[in-house]
Amino acid sequence: MPSKRPRFVGGKILRNTGHGIFYRMEVAVPDRVEFVPGQFAMVSGWPGNDPLLPRPLAIFRAGGARGTGTVEFVYKVVGRGTALLSGLHEGDPLSITLPLGHGFELGAADRAWWLVGGGVGFSTVFPAGAALSEGRGDFEMFLGARTRDQLPPREWIPGGNLPGRVHLCTDDGTAGYFGPVGDAVRERLDGLKASERGRLTILACGPREMLRGISESALARDVPMQVSLENHMACGFGVCWGCVTAVREGEKSAYRRVCKEGPVFDAREIVW
Amino acid sequence: MVTPAAPPDLAVRVGTVSLKNPVLSASGTFGYGLEFAPFYDISRLGAVIVKGLSLLPSPGNAPQRIVETAAGMLNAIGLQNIGVERFVAEVAPRLEEAGAVFVANIYGRTVDEYEAVARRLSDLPALAAIELNASCPNVKEGGILFGSSPHGLSGLTRRVRAATAKPLWVKLSPNVADIGSMARSAEDAGADAVSLINTIVGMAVDHKTRRPRLANVTGGLSGPAIKPVALRMVWEACRAVKIPVIGIGGIQTAEDALEFLLVGAAAVQVGTANFRNPNACVEIIDGIRDFLVREKISRLEEYRGGLLS
Ligand SMILES: Cc1cc2nc3c(=O)[nH]c(=O)nc-3n(C[C@H](O)[C@H](O)[C@H](O)COP(=O)(O)OP(=O)(O)OC[C@H]3O[C@@H](n4cnc5c(N)ncnc54)[C@H](O)[C@@H]3O)c2cc1C
Ligand SMILES: Cc1cc2nc3c(=O)[nH]c(=O)nc-3n(C[C@H](O)[C@H](O)[C@H](O)COP(=O)(O)O)c2cc1C
Ligand code: FES
């Protein structure tokens, strides 16, 4: 049955190909996967006990029909687990628990959305863009990378061929805005009229420092923002309490599980 | 015509507690049990052991709380939990409704707190047993103060024993010189069973940033990396006491579980394995059954404790 309840499934790789510094992997799974943009999966694709833990990856795309499904991930090789994933081929098995966590809230249709992805963080916000493309409102995309070659391929960007929709930013100025994506967002926020700001919601995923900077800019201008955090995880489904982040609770703060109450949080809640 | 043999009998007893099979979930790796309902029917387990409970809700340690290590992981969760009252009011009825046999793992900052938690849980008719965590390495108050000397352990166990009529299992720390004498002092103080091992104190640092990887600096090692140590300690404890010993540490497969049963464990707990494979516990139960069928053993009890010299 298609279901939003988490499942543990055995998948088979259909495609696992490199695109610049990123890999895109499509996996056949036993049933159709339904997910909310921002939700993720715990993935392991190697035999034996080392590395031991599965790796969290955002669900980039999913589909299929009853009885046969597919799910796609986009990842960057940063360490042992992702290196092992990058070496897998068509037909190789994969263990996946999905869909997990609390995704983005794409509420009212009349809102404007800014989607911000730093580094491989775009893999978490693109599904939100894809959902918004289906008619739930207008959005713009801000993508940050160290250098031009580390930006995602144009054809992956939802709405990537619409003029004025996509703002590329590079730390070294080799493409688009010369500087951190957070600076580009702040400058554009300052150029908005109050009425425009009033309709806006920002969704973002990327390095914690980037999220913290943008959330300061957004909240200071009363723009609501949802952030997707990337903490280290052991289980991914709320049973180990390993992945917590501090959130405000009245006067105090409390530790909430990024894998369960998150990974997407209202930026106002986060104690950076 | 060949009549199919009856399925093997996996039932075990831990003191007065009868379990339909020897596979239990280890505390702190299984949430409050209900989180596993999407994956399988939790009443299939020998028992569910829930996250360590304290008298009041506890916030736990600052992140970073976990780090992966070679074939294992370190954790310094610091026993974040909802507290015994919310467990009694909100969780226990749902575990009962799910048909699960469940055990509460408890800890306190003081002996009085341990007693109070045990007393409160004694009101729950459906609770199968209390597991006393005298061995959490990550909070000073998590029992390690009491659990690292035979004298401290015996004092704590005696007091909690007097506070509850529930079967009392004492969970032992591996961070001691002589596990046999710890098991004996729990037995002498009235424990109905001992369970071991809890995590082994370890540490990880980042040679580039020059910082510890855990905010707590040290943490508890779990997973396959600790299995040989755990197996040795379980074997020693089995020889030291007459009460049942529950084996824990690095169990990932049915073969691992059978090894602990072979050296004399009455039952086993599965911890870290649940993270990579949420179905680990039920796959282990099925694997034990398949093994007994293949070996034509009709009752697990015939196999258990049968280590050859
Ligand atoms: C909800 C969520 C969604 C994510 N989505 C994506 C995605 O779509 N694409 C992508 O490329 N990456 C994503 N990440 C980050 C990805 O999980 C890490 O890059 C990956 O775990 C690194 O594993 P490794 O073995 O290659 O690195 P190592 O550094 O060898 O890993 C060692 C340990 O640290 C953990 N770890 C290291 N870096 C991170 C990190 N940034 N976040 C979380 N855990 C980390 C690993 O899981 C592992 O337990 C996501 C993280 C989270 C929490
Ligand atoms: C994340 C985590 C949290 C744990 N929390 C508890 C706990 O609350 N109480 C307790 O007695 N043991 C706790 N433990 C210890 C386990 O129950 C078990 O004894 C140990 O992990 C060894 O088994 P394993 O290798 O199968 O995980 C915890 C272990 C882990 C990994
Ligand atoms: S990763 Fe285990 S609770 Fe979040």
Side-chain angles (χ1 to χ4, degrees):
Chain A
M1 279 287 287
S3 151
K4 287 188 181 167
R5 277 161 50 113
R7 295 178 286 152
F8 176 67
V9 300
K12 229 181 194 39
I13 293 180
L14 297 171
R15 239 166 4 101
N16 187 27
T17 46
H19 303 260
I21 64 161
F22 304 109
Y23 283 82
R24 183 159 173 171
M25 181 164 73
E26 188 178 2
V27 189
V29 292
D31 227 323
R32 181 184 158 78
V33 175
E34 286 183 35
F35 76 107
V36 176
Q39 283 192 304
F40 67 99
M42 293 298 279
V43 177
S44 65
W46 47 87
N49 292 320
D50 198 31
L52 182 66
L53 300 172
R55 298 315 195 231
L57 292 178
I59 301 176
F60 190 72
R61 225 166 78 158
R66 201 195 168 102
T68 86
T70 57
V71 57
E72 282 180 60
F73 305 105
V74 166
Y75 60 95
K76 189 177 125 185
V77 173
V78 300
R80 279 216 299 156
T82 46
L84 283 167
L85 287 181
S86 73
L88 298 176
H89 300 287
E90 184 185 336
D92 286 342
L94 211 60
S95 297
I96 312 177
T97 308
L98 85 176
L100 297 169
H102 169 86
F104 291 112
E105 286 175 14
L106 304 176
D110 58 343
R111 293 199 69 79
W113 307 83
W114 284 4
L115 277 49
V116 187
V120 71
F122 70 82
S123 63
T124 298
V125 295
F126 280 7
L132 292 168
S133 301
E134 285 163 18
R136 272 191 273 176
D138 63 280
F139 67 94
E140 291 179 38
M141 192 78 74
F142 293 78
L143 300 173
R146 221 165 286 152
T147 184
R148 179 193 179 87
D149 298 343
Q150 303 191 359
L151 287 163
R154 194 84 190 184
E155 60 276 16
W156 292 2
I157 308 176
N161 41 18
L162 301 174
R165 279 283 190 93
V166 180
H167 313 283
L168 303 177
C169 311
T170 50
D171 294 346
D172 64 358
T174 46
Y177 180 90
F178 186 173
V181 63
D183 291 358
V185 170
R186 193 185 56 238
E187 285 172 22
R188 250 186 99 75
L189 274 176
D190 283 335
L192 291 185
K193 295 200 263 316
S195 63
E196 290 171 316
R197 277 206 300 273
R199 287 182 57 220
L200 184 63
T201 299
I202 298 178
L203 312 177
C205 180
R208 199 171 166 100
E209 273 312 304
M210 173 201 110
L211 296 177
R212 169 207 177 79
I214 298 176
S215 91
E216 274 168 15
S217 310
L219 300 183
R221 293 162 181 79
D222 289 322
V223 172
M225 176 166 167
Q226 301 173 31
V227 293
S228 185
L229 301 183
E230 295 197 345
N231 285 24
H232 288 216
M233 296 181 172
C235 70
F237 54 97
V239 298
C240 76
W241 279 272
C243 61
V244 299
T245 197
V247 303
R248 260 175 266 287
E249 232 182 33
E251 297 290 280
K252 295 200 238 136
S253 72
Y255 292 122
R256 293 272 173 271
R257 294 164 297 185
V258 170
C259 72
K260 188 90 175 178
E261 286 81 35
V264 177
F265 292 90
D266 183 331
R268 278 173 308 189
E269 293 178 352
I270 305 292
V271 181
W272 300 100
Chain B
M1 203 178 94
V2 186
T3 45
D9 180 5
L10 266 60
V12 295
R13 294 179 70 85
V14 177
T16 55
V17 185
S18 304
L19 304 172
K20 64 164 84 82
N21 65 61
V23 180
L24 288 57
S25 67
S27 178
T29 66
F30 212 73
Y32 298 104
L34 303 164
E35 296 88 337
F36 281 78
F39 301 111
Y40 59 83
D41 174 0
I42 56 173
S43 74
R44 290 179 61 192
L45 299 180
V48 169
I49 306 183
V50 299
K51 176 73 191 158
L53 297 166
S54 50
L55 188 57
L56 299 174
S58 166
N61 289 337
Q64 175 99 0
R65 289 180 173 184
I66 51 171
V67 56
E68 190 181 58
T69 58
M73 62 176 280
L74 290 166
N75 88 81
I77 308 300
L79 298 169
Q80 177 168 2
N81 80 99
I82 58 175
V84 71
E85 280 312 322
R86 269 186 69 194
F87 175 77
V88 169
E90 296 168 26
V91 180
R94 293 177 61 198
L95 286 169
E96 198 179 343
E97 206 177 281
V101 174
F102 62 99
V103 172
N105 177 280
I106 68 165
Y107 80 95
R109 281 175 304 180
T110 61
V111 178
D112 287 350
E113 273 188 28
Y114 270 103
E115 275 185 332
V117 181
R119 229 179 255 123
R120 184 69 184 96
L121 288 166
S122 306
D123 304 340
L124 283 175
L127 184 75
I130 292 175
E131 182 178 57
L132 188 70
N133 180 0
S135 48
C136 180
N138 298 323
V139 285
K140 277 203 296 297
E141 310 84 16
I144 202 73
L145 283 178
F146 316 104
S148 43
S149 76
H151 180 73
L153 184 65
S154 141
L156 173 66
T157 306
R158 238 175 262 286
R159 291 271 303 272
V160 177
R161 171 71 294 167
T164 180
K166 290 283 182 193
L168 183 64
W169 304 351
V170 174
K171 184 161 176 181
L172 302 179
S173 168
N175 307 301
V176 295
D178 177 6
I179 197 72
S181 63
M182 296 301 287
R184 262 193 307 274
S185 63
E187 178 177 47
D188 293 344
D192 296 294
V194 288
S195 53
L196 65 152
I197 59 174
N198 206 317
T199 53
I200 301 175
V201 186
M203 181 168 170
V205 299
D206 185 326
H207 75 283
K208 280 206 212 104
T209 64
R210 307 183 187 195
R211 288 177 203 285
R213 289 190 187 268
L214 296 171
N216 192 55
V217 184
T218 62
L221 184 64
S222 66
I226 70 170
K227 199 189 91 179
V229 177
L231 194 63
R232 185 266 296 177
M233 288 192 161
V234 168
W235 174 71
E236 283 182 0
C238 288
R239 304 202 315 171
V241 294
K242 296 200 180 59
I243 53 174
V245 174
I246 301 169
I248 322 168
I251 297 174
Q252 305 272 310
T253 63
E255 290 73 22
D256 295 335
L258 285 161
E259 291 169 20
F260 280 83
L261 296 165
L262 187 61
V263 304
V268 296
Q269 295 180 17
V270 177
T272 302
N274 293 299
F275 300 158
R276 169 141 156 208
N277 176 359
N279 292 336
C281 288
V282 285
E283 287 180 10
I284 289 170
I285 296 168
D286 291 343
I288 293 174
R289 182 177 298 113
D290 292 348
F291 171 79
L292 297 179
V293 169
R294 276 199 308 278
E295 298 287 314
K296 304 198 167 52
I297 300 169
S298 58
R299 293 169 56 239
L300 179 59
E301 280 304 305
E302 293 165 24
Y303 176 84
R304 215 175 56 73
L307 183 70
L308 302 175
S309 53

